[in-house]
Amino acid sequence: MIYTSVCEMVGIKYPIFQGGMAHISDASLAAAVSIAGGLGIITAASGDTAWVEEQIDAVRAATDNPFGVNVMLMGKNVDEIAELLARKKVSVVTTGAGNPEKYIPMWKEAGIKVIPVVPSSALAKLVARSGADAVIAEGGESGGHVGDMTTMALVPQVCDAVDIPVIAAGGIADGRGAAAAFMLGAQGIQVGTAFLAAKECNISEVYKKKVLNAGDTATIVTGRRLGHPVRSLKSPFSRAYAKAEYSDISDEDLENMGVGTLRAAVKDGDEKHGCFLAGQISGLVNSERPAAEIIKDIFDGAEKILNGANKWVK
Ligand code: TUI
């Protein structure tokens, strides 16, 4: 059995976090993951504060197991959401797309474990000094907002930079990826793309099918021009956006091109206008299954590999 400091810190059976995916990670997915022994995570980037509170209450009604909430720091009403999470005393807060320093004291005071996503060793050191309990080192293989580093290069460097536990993210969807992450020094993994195929994941049928049918080169990064690169499945929208980035369109018009496109993908399954966020590991995600099965397969696979890891050594 793979049991690490992250299991101990958070109170979970398997050292796996389900990524907080904007407009996707709701109470249904988070509860399924937490019931299965991982850490389910609600995204706070989907709606207003009332929606987030409803989702928290819904997970609490479904299970006593720990779960977390992800705060997208580039999002709206972040101050209000930060206060809600302190008031609700959720077990874990993860943050993305920015520096969460100013909220850390308030969350710690509420007894919350604070675990920021970091795209570099520099930010890992900074948040560790500010009291983060662990960090999620997320490589640019992941879906959504991405940094420049690959998981392979980022994880060992972050592990050396800080003395708090590191959770690896970006490009992990099966036992091989999980075993590799542990070998790089991670004490846990965060998985997003693979959970898009979970039965409990409420995305449009079109979105789910696109992920299940995607191959290894199915994604593209757009948005570098505006400083917020985002990885999504190649689609009419992402191709048009990529083209527009190199045209003489104004920054404002370019920004407006993206408005509402995530929602169009998740809720409406709009093939033409939707932005279908997904990671490079989509090619490995080929069947819709319950979240519990996804988790069990990842850890059964990783355990087998790690048990036989020295088989090449004579
Ligand atoms: O946040 C994510 N992934 C996301 S957020 C999102 S919502 C969105 N919607 C529309 C357009 C753009 C985004 C979709 N996917 N992942 C965590 C993550 N955080 N990846 C990279 C970072 C990051 C980047 C810079 C974290 C901190 C950071 O710090 C810069 C600074 O402020 O020091």
Side-chain angles (χ1 to χ4, degrees):
M1 191 171 151
I2 295 171
Y3 190 83
T4 72
S5 60
V6 169
C7 300
E8 192 88 9
M9 173 188 293
V10 178
I12 49 179
K13 181 175 170 198
Y14 297 104
I16 181 170
F17 290 12
Q18 159 248 315
M21 298 174 281
H23 294 280
I24 296 173
S25 302
D26 60 5
S28 160
L29 182 59
V33 170
S34 285
I35 289 168
L39 189 79
I41 293 184
I42 297 163
T43 172
S46 296
D48 54 16
T49 314
W51 182 87
V52 177
E53 185 162 14
E54 264 169 40
Q55 302 305 304
I56 292 171
D57 293 342
V59 178
R60 285 202 168 133
T63 178
D64 290 333
N65 290 352
F67 64 94
V69 177
N70 173 253
V71 180
M72 216 282 267
L73 295 166
M74 260 167 42
K76 288 181 226 121
N77 43 332
V78 177
D79 288 350
E80 205 180 296
I81 286 179
E83 278 161 29
L84 169 77
L85 302 183
R87 181 160 59 78
K88 300 295 277 188
K89 296 188 189 303
V90 295
S91 306
V92 174
V93 170
T94 64
T95 63
N99 180 349
E101 261 186 309
K102 74 170 196 187
Y103 302 112
I104 294 181
M106 174 173 68
W107 288 334
K108 300 275 292 186
E109 207 157 295
I112 295 170
K113 299 290 182 210
V114 182
I115 311 187
V117 170
V118 295
S120 66
S121 299
L123 191 61
K125 278 188 193 161
L126 214 141
V127 297
R129 268 203 303 275
S130 302
D133 296 282
V135 289
I136 301 166
E138 186 185 278
E141 295 93 323
S142 68
H145 185 66
V146 288
D148 288 327
M149 300 279 294
T150 60
T151 303
M152 183 73 120
L154 179 66
V155 172
Q157 295 188 71
V158 171
C159 288
D160 284 354
V162 295
D163 50 19
I164 52 177
V166 175
I167 293 142
I172 304 170
D174 68 3
R176 293 169 295 181
F182 292 122
M183 289 211 154
L184 293 174
Q187 298 277 314
I189 55 171
Q190 175 163 281
V191 168
T193 299
F195 284 120
L196 290 174
K199 277 210 154 56
E200 301 87 349
C201 181
N202 293 315
I203 52 177
S204 60
E205 272 309 302
V206 168
Y207 200 151
K208 216 165 248 191
K209 283 221 171 74
K210 274 183 177 292
V211 173
L212 296 178
N213 294 330
D216 52 1
T217 61
T219 70
I220 182 172
V221 175
T222 55
R224 289 201 199 279
R225 184 173 129 187
L226 298 178
H228 307 301
V230 166
R231 183 180 298 285
S232 66
L233 294 174
K234 289 172 187 164
S235 68
F237 164 75
S238 64
R239 288 181 209 275
Y241 194 98
K243 213 167 156 194
E245 279 194 274
Y246 291 96
S247 76
D248 56 8
I249 185 175
S250 70
D251 284 358
E252 197 188 342
D253 286 350
L254 190 61
E255 182 109 41
N256 284 336
M257 257 185 95
V259 174
T261 55
L262 273 184
R263 224 180 166 280
V266 175
K267 306 284 179 221
D268 311 331
D270 186 336
E271 301 218 39
K272 199 157 166 224
H273 304 102
C275 177
F276 298 84
L277 301 184
Q280 287 184 313
I281 207 69
S282 293
L284 276 190
V285 178
N286 297 318
S287 64
E288 189 183 32
R289 295 174 306 152
E293 211 175 283
I294 296 171
I295 295 171
K296 189 170 184 306
D297 272 9
I298 290 175
F299 283 94
D300 283 353
E303 206 170 306
K304 247 189 217 150
I305 294 167
L306 293 173
N307 274 331
N310 63 357
K311 70 182 171 193
W312 303 286
V313 181
K314 292 263 184 271

PDB file of all heavy atoms in Angstrom, residues 118-121 136-142 146-159 166-172 184 224 231 280:
ATOM      1  N   VAL A 118       2.157  25.520  -7.612  1.00  0.00           N
ATOM      2  CA  VAL A 118       3.307  26.359  -7.982  1.00  0.00           C
ATOM      3  C   VAL A 118       3.886  25.874  -9.314  1.00  0.00           C
ATOM      4  O   VAL A 118       4.017  24.676  -9.534  1.00  0.00           O
ATOM      5  CB  VAL A 118       4.404  26.337  -6.882  1.00  0.00           C
ATOM      6  CG1 VAL A 118       3.885  26.973  -5.597  1.00  0.00           C
ATOM      7  CG2 VAL A 118       4.907  24.925  -6.610  1.00  0.00           C
ATOM      8  N   PRO A 119       4.250  26.834 -10.180  1.00  0.00           N
ATOM      9  CA  PRO A 119       4.840  26.455 -11.464  1.00  0.00           C
ATOM     10  C   PRO A 119       6.361  26.575 -11.452  1.00  0.00           C
ATOM     11  O   PRO A 119       6.993  26.401 -12.489  1.00  0.00           O
ATOM     12  CB  PRO A 119       4.235  27.474 -12.429  1.00  0.00           C
ATOM     13  CG  PRO A 119       4.078  28.715 -11.583  1.00  0.00           C
ATOM     14  CD  PRO A 119       3.891  28.279 -10.159  1.00  0.00           C
ATOM     15  N   SER A 120       6.949  26.899 -10.283  1.00  0.00           N
ATOM     16  CA  SER A 120       8.402  27.116 -10.198  1.00  0.00           C
ATOM     17  C   SER A 120       8.887  26.902  -8.774  1.00  0.00           C
ATOM     18  O   SER A 120       8.106  27.002  -7.820  1.00  0.00           O
ATOM     19  CB  SER A 120       8.724  28.562 -10.606  1.00  0.00           C
ATOM     20  OG  SER A 120       8.179  29.452  -9.646  1.00  0.00           O
ATOM     21  N   SER A 121      10.218  26.654  -8.638  1.00  0.00           N
ATOM     22  CA  SER A 121      10.818  26.516  -7.308  1.00  0.00           C
ATOM     23  C   SER A 121      10.732  27.825  -6.544  1.00  0.00           C
ATOM     24  O   SER A 121      10.580  27.831  -5.327  1.00  0.00           O
ATOM     25  CB  SER A 121      12.293  26.124  -7.421  1.00  0.00           C
ATOM     26  OG  SER A 121      12.405  24.906  -8.076  1.00  0.00           O
ATOM     27  N   ILE A 136       1.703  21.923  -4.621  1.00  0.00           N
ATOM     28  CA  ILE A 136       1.419  21.096  -5.796  1.00  0.00           C
ATOM     29  C   ILE A 136       2.298  21.634  -6.925  1.00  0.00           C
ATOM     30  O   ILE A 136       2.119  22.778  -7.359  1.00  0.00           O
ATOM     31  CB  ILE A 136      -0.064  21.174  -6.188  1.00  0.00           C
ATOM     32  CG1 ILE A 136      -0.957  20.703  -5.025  1.00  0.00           C
ATOM     33  CG2 ILE A 136      -0.333  20.337  -7.452  1.00  0.00           C
ATOM     34  CD1 ILE A 136      -2.427  21.055  -5.186  1.00  0.00           C
ATOM     35  N   ALA A 137       3.270  20.843  -7.366  1.00  0.00           N
ATOM     36  CA  ALA A 137       4.150  21.249  -8.466  1.00  0.00           C
ATOM     37  C   ALA A 137       3.510  20.767  -9.762  1.00  0.00           C
ATOM     38  O   ALA A 137       3.477  19.569 -10.036  1.00  0.00           O
ATOM     39  CB  ALA A 137       5.539  20.639  -8.287  1.00  0.00           C
ATOM     40  N   GLU A 138       2.970  21.724 -10.517  1.00  0.00           N
ATOM     41  CA  GLU A 138       2.180  21.359 -11.708  1.00  0.00           C
ATOM     42  C   GLU A 138       2.929  21.697 -12.984  1.00  0.00           C
ATOM     43  O   GLU A 138       3.218  22.866 -13.253  1.00  0.00           O
ATOM     44  CB  GLU A 138       0.841  22.089 -11.664  1.00  0.00           C
ATOM     45  CG  GLU A 138      -0.100  21.664 -12.794  1.00  0.00           C
ATOM     46  CD  GLU A 138      -1.381  22.487 -12.796  1.00  0.00           C
ATOM     47  OE1 GLU A 138      -2.288  22.165 -12.024  1.00  0.00           O
ATOM     48  OE2 GLU A 138      -1.457  23.446 -13.577  1.00  0.00           O
ATOM     49  N   GLY A 139       3.244  20.686 -13.742  1.00  0.00           N
ATOM     50  CA  GLY A 139       3.910  20.880 -15.027  1.00  0.00           C
ATOM     51  C   GLY A 139       2.929  21.288 -16.111  1.00  0.00           C
ATOM     52  O   GLY A 139       1.713  21.114 -15.984  1.00  0.00           O
ATOM     53  N   GLY A 140       3.483  21.838 -17.184  1.00  0.00           N
ATOM     54  CA  GLY A 140       2.675  22.373 -18.275  1.00  0.00           C
ATOM     55  C   GLY A 140       2.002  21.332 -19.153  1.00  0.00           C
ATOM     56  O   GLY A 140       1.331  21.664 -20.128  1.00  0.00           O
ATOM     57  N   GLU A 141       2.139  20.040 -18.792  1.00  0.00           N
ATOM     58  CA  GLU A 141       1.391  18.996 -19.503  1.00  0.00           C
ATOM     59  C   GLU A 141      -0.089  19.049 -19.151  1.00  0.00           C
ATOM     60  O   GLU A 141      -0.926  18.457 -19.819  1.00  0.00           O
ATOM     61  CB  GLU A 141       1.898  17.590 -19.114  1.00  0.00           C
ATOM     62  CG  GLU A 141       3.327  17.282 -19.525  1.00  0.00           C
ATOM     63  CD  GLU A 141       4.338  17.608 -18.434  1.00  0.00           C
ATOM     64  OE1 GLU A 141       4.150  18.611 -17.725  1.00  0.00           O
ATOM     65  OE2 GLU A 141       5.318  16.860 -18.315  1.00  0.00           O
ATOM     66  N   SER A 142      -0.388  19.714 -18.044  1.00  0.00           N
ATOM     67  CA  SER A 142      -1.755  19.715 -17.518  1.00  0.00           C
ATOM     68  C   SER A 142      -2.691  20.508 -18.424  1.00  0.00           C
ATOM     69  O   SER A 142      -2.256  21.251 -19.296  1.00  0.00           O
ATOM     70  CB  SER A 142      -1.759  20.327 -16.121  1.00  0.00           C
ATOM     71  OG  SER A 142      -1.449  21.692 -16.225  1.00  0.00           O
ATOM     72  N   VAL A 146      -1.475  27.005 -17.632  1.00  0.00           N
ATOM     73  CA  VAL A 146      -0.223  26.247 -17.507  1.00  0.00           C
ATOM     74  C   VAL A 146       1.000  27.145 -17.337  1.00  0.00           C
ATOM     75  O   VAL A 146       1.051  28.260 -17.847  1.00  0.00           O
ATOM     76  CB  VAL A 146       0.023  25.327 -18.740  1.00  0.00           C
ATOM     77  CG1 VAL A 146      -0.938  24.162 -18.733  1.00  0.00           C
ATOM     78  CG2 VAL A 146      -0.064  26.097 -20.055  1.00  0.00           C
ATOM     79  N   GLY A 147       1.990  26.602 -16.619  1.00  0.00           N
ATOM     80  CA  GLY A 147       3.301  27.245 -16.530  1.00  0.00           C
ATOM     81  C   GLY A 147       4.201  26.717 -17.642  1.00  0.00           C
ATOM     82  O   GLY A 147       3.758  25.949 -18.505  1.00  0.00           O
ATOM     83  N   ASP A 148       5.492  27.111 -17.611  1.00  0.00           N
ATOM     84  CA  ASP A 148       6.426  26.736 -18.685  1.00  0.00           C
ATOM     85  C   ASP A 148       7.140  25.413 -18.450  1.00  0.00           C
ATOM     86  O   ASP A 148       7.622  24.787 -19.387  1.00  0.00           O
ATOM     87  CB  ASP A 148       7.515  27.824 -18.828  1.00  0.00           C
ATOM     88  CG  ASP A 148       6.955  29.093 -19.444  1.00  0.00           C
ATOM     89  OD1 ASP A 148       6.036  28.976 -20.276  1.00  0.00           O
ATOM     90  OD2 ASP A 148       7.433  30.182 -19.082  1.00  0.00           O
ATOM     91  N   MET A 149       7.254  25.012 -17.179  1.00  0.00           N
ATOM     92  CA  MET A 149       8.074  23.833 -16.859  1.00  0.00           C
ATOM     93  C   MET A 149       7.321  22.533 -17.124  1.00  0.00           C
ATOM     94  O   MET A 149       6.101  22.470 -16.970  1.00  0.00           O
ATOM     95  CB  MET A 149       8.447  23.859 -15.365  1.00  0.00           C
ATOM     96  CG  MET A 149       9.244  25.050 -14.908  1.00  0.00           C
ATOM     97  SD  MET A 149      10.979  24.873 -15.287  1.00  0.00           S
ATOM     98  CE  MET A 149      11.456  23.512 -14.240  1.00  0.00           C
ATOM     99  N   THR A 150       8.062  21.484 -17.460  1.00  0.00           N
ATOM    100  CA  THR A 150       7.457  20.156 -17.551  1.00  0.00           C
ATOM    101  C   THR A 150       7.433  19.536 -16.151  1.00  0.00           C
ATOM    102  O   THR A 150       8.247  19.896 -15.291  1.00  0.00           O
ATOM    103  CB  THR A 150       8.277  19.239 -18.471  1.00  0.00           C
ATOM    104  OG1 THR A 150       9.591  19.126 -17.911  1.00  0.00           O
ATOM    105  CG2 THR A 150       8.366  19.782 -19.886  1.00  0.00           C
ATOM    106  N   THR A 151       6.529  18.589 -15.960  1.00  0.00           N
ATOM    107  CA  THR A 151       6.438  17.897 -14.670  1.00  0.00           C
ATOM    108  C   THR A 151       7.761  17.208 -14.340  1.00  0.00           C
ATOM    109  O   THR A 151       8.246  17.267 -13.208  1.00  0.00           O
ATOM    110  CB  THR A 151       5.288  16.868 -14.727  1.00  0.00           C
ATOM    111  OG1 THR A 151       4.075  17.569 -15.060  1.00  0.00           O
ATOM    112  CG2 THR A 151       5.120  16.144 -13.409  1.00  0.00           C
ATOM    113  N   MET A 152       8.352  16.559 -15.336  1.00  0.00           N
ATOM    114  CA  MET A 152       9.610  15.807 -15.148  1.00  0.00           C
ATOM    115  C   MET A 152      10.724  16.690 -14.605  1.00  0.00           C
ATOM    116  O   MET A 152      11.511  16.266 -13.761  1.00  0.00           O
ATOM    117  CB  MET A 152      10.024  15.210 -16.497  1.00  0.00           C
ATOM    118  CG  MET A 152      11.255  14.355 -16.438  1.00  0.00           C
ATOM    119  SD  MET A 152      10.891  12.809 -15.641  1.00  0.00           S
ATOM    120  CE  MET A 152      11.294  11.692 -16.944  1.00  0.00           C
ATOM    121  N   ALA A 153      10.818  17.925 -15.086  1.00  0.00           N
ATOM    122  CA  ALA A 153      11.890  18.826 -14.640  1.00  0.00           C
ATOM    123  C   ALA A 153      11.495  19.601 -13.380  1.00  0.00           C
ATOM    124  O   ALA A 153      12.346  19.905 -12.539  1.00  0.00           O
ATOM    125  CB  ALA A 153      12.238  19.809 -15.762  1.00  0.00           C
ATOM    126  N   LEU A 154      10.206  19.905 -13.250  1.00  0.00           N
ATOM    127  CA  LEU A 154       9.752  20.756 -12.136  1.00  0.00           C
ATOM    128  C   LEU A 154       9.746  20.012 -10.793  1.00  0.00           C
ATOM    129  O   LEU A 154      10.215  20.540  -9.783  1.00  0.00           O
ATOM    130  CB  LEU A 154       8.337  21.284 -12.449  1.00  0.00           C
ATOM    131  CG  LEU A 154       7.688  22.166 -11.382  1.00  0.00           C
ATOM    132  CD1 LEU A 154       8.437  23.485 -11.225  1.00  0.00           C
ATOM    133  CD2 LEU A 154       6.220  22.438 -11.740  1.00  0.00           C
ATOM    134  N   VAL A 155       9.206  18.793 -10.789  1.00  0.00           N
ATOM    135  CA  VAL A 155       8.968  18.107  -9.507  1.00  0.00           C
ATOM    136  C   VAL A 155      10.259  17.886  -8.699  1.00  0.00           C
ATOM    137  O   VAL A 155      10.312  18.267  -7.525  1.00  0.00           O
ATOM    138  CB  VAL A 155       8.168  16.791  -9.717  1.00  0.00           C
ATOM    139  CG1 VAL A 155       8.089  15.977  -8.429  1.00  0.00           C
ATOM    140  CG2 VAL A 155       6.772  17.116 -10.230  1.00  0.00           C
ATOM    141  N   PRO A 156      11.336  17.331  -9.281  1.00  0.00           N
ATOM    142  CA  PRO A 156      12.528  17.128  -8.446  1.00  0.00           C
ATOM    143  C   PRO A 156      13.152  18.434  -7.969  1.00  0.00           C
ATOM    144  O   PRO A 156      13.694  18.489  -6.865  1.00  0.00           O
ATOM    145  CB  PRO A 156      13.484  16.351  -9.364  1.00  0.00           C
ATOM    146  CG  PRO A 156      12.997  16.583 -10.748  1.00  0.00           C
ATOM    147  CD  PRO A 156      11.521  16.825 -10.645  1.00  0.00           C
ATOM    148  N   GLN A 157      13.033  19.481  -8.784  1.00  0.00           N
ATOM    149  CA  GLN A 157      13.623  20.762  -8.377  1.00  0.00           C
ATOM    150  C   GLN A 157      12.830  21.404  -7.245  1.00  0.00           C
ATOM    151  O   GLN A 157      13.402  21.982  -6.312  1.00  0.00           O
ATOM    152  CB  GLN A 157      13.748  21.708  -9.581  1.00  0.00           C
ATOM    153  CG  GLN A 157      14.732  21.161 -10.626  1.00  0.00           C
ATOM    154  CD  GLN A 157      15.031  22.146 -11.737  1.00  0.00           C
ATOM    155  OE1 GLN A 157      15.706  23.141 -11.523  1.00  0.00           O
ATOM    156  NE2 GLN A 157      14.538  21.866 -12.925  1.00  0.00           N
ATOM    157  N   VAL A 158      11.496  21.269  -7.299  1.00  0.00           N
ATOM    158  CA  VAL A 158      10.673  21.790  -6.194  1.00  0.00           C
ATOM    159  C   VAL A 158      10.922  20.950  -4.932  1.00  0.00           C
ATOM    160  O   VAL A 158      11.022  21.483  -3.822  1.00  0.00           O
ATOM    161  CB  VAL A 158       9.174  21.818  -6.575  1.00  0.00           C
ATOM    162  CG1 VAL A 158       8.305  22.157  -5.365  1.00  0.00           C
ATOM    163  CG2 VAL A 158       8.931  22.832  -7.683  1.00  0.00           C
ATOM    164  N   CYS A 159      11.069  19.633  -5.110  1.00  0.00           N
ATOM    165  CA  CYS A 159      11.347  18.758  -3.951  1.00  0.00           C
ATOM    166  C   CYS A 159      12.631  19.190  -3.241  1.00  0.00           C
ATOM    167  O   CYS A 159      12.709  19.164  -2.015  1.00  0.00           O
ATOM    168  CB  CYS A 159      11.481  17.293  -4.376  1.00  0.00           C
ATOM    169  SG  CYS A 159       9.908  16.549  -4.827  1.00  0.00           S
ATOM    170  N   VAL A 166       5.618  17.620  -1.419  1.00  0.00           N
ATOM    171  CA  VAL A 166       5.331  18.069  -2.788  1.00  0.00           C
ATOM    172  C   VAL A 166       4.363  17.076  -3.429  1.00  0.00           C
ATOM    173  O   VAL A 166       4.551  15.858  -3.336  1.00  0.00           O
ATOM    174  CB  VAL A 166       6.635  18.162  -3.612  1.00  0.00           C
ATOM    175  CG1 VAL A 166       6.341  18.507  -5.075  1.00  0.00           C
ATOM    176  CG2 VAL A 166       7.584  19.180  -2.990  1.00  0.00           C
ATOM    177  N   ILE A 167       3.338  17.617  -4.045  1.00  0.00           N
ATOM    178  CA  ILE A 167       2.365  16.802  -4.780  1.00  0.00           C
ATOM    179  C   ILE A 167       2.601  17.097  -6.254  1.00  0.00           C
ATOM    180  O   ILE A 167       2.648  18.268  -6.650  1.00  0.00           O
ATOM    181  CB  ILE A 167       0.939  17.186  -4.323  1.00  0.00           C
ATOM    182  CG1 ILE A 167       0.745  16.758  -2.857  1.00  0.00           C
ATOM    183  CG2 ILE A 167      -0.125  16.541  -5.207  1.00  0.00           C
ATOM    184  CD1 ILE A 167      -0.053  17.708  -2.043  1.00  0.00           C
ATOM    185  N   ALA A 168       2.783  16.055  -7.049  1.00  0.00           N
ATOM    186  CA  ALA A 168       3.091  16.248  -8.470  1.00  0.00           C
ATOM    187  C   ALA A 168       1.806  16.298  -9.281  1.00  0.00           C
ATOM    188  O   ALA A 168       0.871  15.530  -9.027  1.00  0.00           O
ATOM    189  CB  ALA A 168       3.973  15.109  -8.969  1.00  0.00           C
ATOM    190  N   ALA A 169       1.777  17.190 -10.266  1.00  0.00           N
ATOM    191  CA  ALA A 169       0.607  17.292 -11.139  1.00  0.00           C
ATOM    192  C   ALA A 169       1.051  17.598 -12.560  1.00  0.00           C
ATOM    193  O   ALA A 169       2.117  18.175 -12.782  1.00  0.00           O
ATOM    194  CB  ALA A 169      -0.329  18.391 -10.642  1.00  0.00           C
ATOM    195  N   GLY A 170       0.224  17.213 -13.505  1.00  0.00           N
ATOM    196  CA  GLY A 170       0.515  17.485 -14.915  1.00  0.00           C
ATOM    197  C   GLY A 170       0.967  16.225 -15.615  1.00  0.00           C
ATOM    198  O   GLY A 170       2.107  15.779 -15.441  1.00  0.00           O
ATOM    199  N   GLY A 171       0.090  15.617 -16.387  1.00  0.00           N
ATOM    200  CA  GLY A 171       0.474  14.447 -17.177  1.00  0.00           C
ATOM    201  C   GLY A 171       0.385  13.122 -16.442  1.00  0.00           C
ATOM    202  O   GLY A 171       0.940  12.123 -16.904  1.00  0.00           O
ATOM    203  N   ILE A 172      -0.315  13.092 -15.313  1.00  0.00           N
ATOM    204  CA  ILE A 172      -0.433  11.835 -14.557  1.00  0.00           C
ATOM    205  C   ILE A 172      -1.861  11.306 -14.682  1.00  0.00           C
ATOM    206  O   ILE A 172      -2.818  12.001 -14.318  1.00  0.00           O
ATOM    207  CB  ILE A 172      -0.086  12.052 -13.067  1.00  0.00           C
ATOM    208  CG1 ILE A 172       1.307  12.668 -12.926  1.00  0.00           C
ATOM    209  CG2 ILE A 172      -0.203  10.739 -12.292  1.00  0.00           C
ATOM    210  CD1 ILE A 172       1.643  13.138 -11.518  1.00  0.00           C
ATOM    211  N   LEU A 184      10.315  10.752  -8.450  1.00  0.00           N
ATOM    212  CA  LEU A 184      10.900  12.105  -8.547  1.00  0.00           C
ATOM    213  C   LEU A 184      10.918  12.796  -7.184  1.00  0.00           C
ATOM    214  O   LEU A 184      11.447  13.892  -7.055  1.00  0.00           O
ATOM    215  CB  LEU A 184      10.112  12.949  -9.547  1.00  0.00           C
ATOM    216  CG  LEU A 184      10.193  12.510 -11.014  1.00  0.00           C
ATOM    217  CD1 LEU A 184       9.243  13.366 -11.867  1.00  0.00           C
ATOM    218  CD2 LEU A 184      11.607  12.631 -11.551  1.00  0.00           C
ATOM    219  N   ARG A 224      -0.773  32.817 -24.809  1.00  0.00           N
ATOM    220  CA  ARG A 224       0.537  33.327 -24.377  1.00  0.00           C
ATOM    221  C   ARG A 224       0.637  34.843 -24.557  1.00  0.00           C
ATOM    222  O   ARG A 224       1.245  35.523 -23.758  1.00  0.00           O
ATOM    223  CB  ARG A 224       1.671  32.628 -25.143  1.00  0.00           C
ATOM    224  CG  ARG A 224       1.876  31.195 -24.743  1.00  0.00           C
ATOM    225  CD  ARG A 224       3.272  30.694 -25.115  1.00  0.00           C
ATOM    226  NE  ARG A 224       3.324  29.228 -25.141  1.00  0.00           N
ATOM    227  CZ  ARG A 224       3.455  28.468 -24.068  1.00  0.00           C
ATOM    228  NH1 ARG A 224       3.543  29.021 -22.876  1.00  0.00           N
ATOM    229  NH2 ARG A 224       3.484  27.154 -24.173  1.00  0.00           N
ATOM    230  N   ARG A 231      -4.058  25.357 -21.803  1.00  0.00           N
ATOM    231  CA  ARG A 231      -4.041  24.171 -22.667  1.00  0.00           C
ATOM    232  C   ARG A 231      -5.453  23.618 -22.818  1.00  0.00           C
ATOM    233  O   ARG A 231      -6.146  23.401 -21.822  1.00  0.00           O
ATOM    234  CB  ARG A 231      -3.120  23.085 -22.089  1.00  0.00           C
ATOM    235  CG  ARG A 231      -3.018  21.852 -23.011  1.00  0.00           C
ATOM    236  CD  ARG A 231      -2.103  20.765 -22.460  1.00  0.00           C
ATOM    237  NE  ARG A 231      -0.732  21.200 -22.298  1.00  0.00           N
ATOM    238  CZ  ARG A 231       0.144  21.373 -23.291  1.00  0.00           C
ATOM    239  NH1 ARG A 231      -0.236  21.141 -24.546  1.00  0.00           N
ATOM    240  NH2 ARG A 231       1.376  21.756 -23.043  1.00  0.00           N
ATOM    241  N   GLN A 280      -2.250  16.916 -21.721  1.00  0.00           N
ATOM    242  CA  GLN A 280      -1.616  16.118 -22.773  1.00  0.00           C
ATOM    243  C   GLN A 280      -1.804  14.623 -22.579  1.00  0.00           C
ATOM    244  O   GLN A 280      -1.601  13.844 -23.510  1.00  0.00           O
ATOM    245  CB  GLN A 280      -0.113  16.431 -22.820  1.00  0.00           C
ATOM    246  CG  GLN A 280       0.188  17.793 -23.404  1.00  0.00           C
ATOM    247  CD  GLN A 280       1.678  18.039 -23.536  1.00  0.00           C
ATOM    248  OE1 GLN A 280       2.427  17.778 -22.597  1.00  0.00           O
ATOM    249  NE2 GLN A 280       2.107  18.545 -24.667  1.00  0.00           N
TER     250      GLN A 280
END
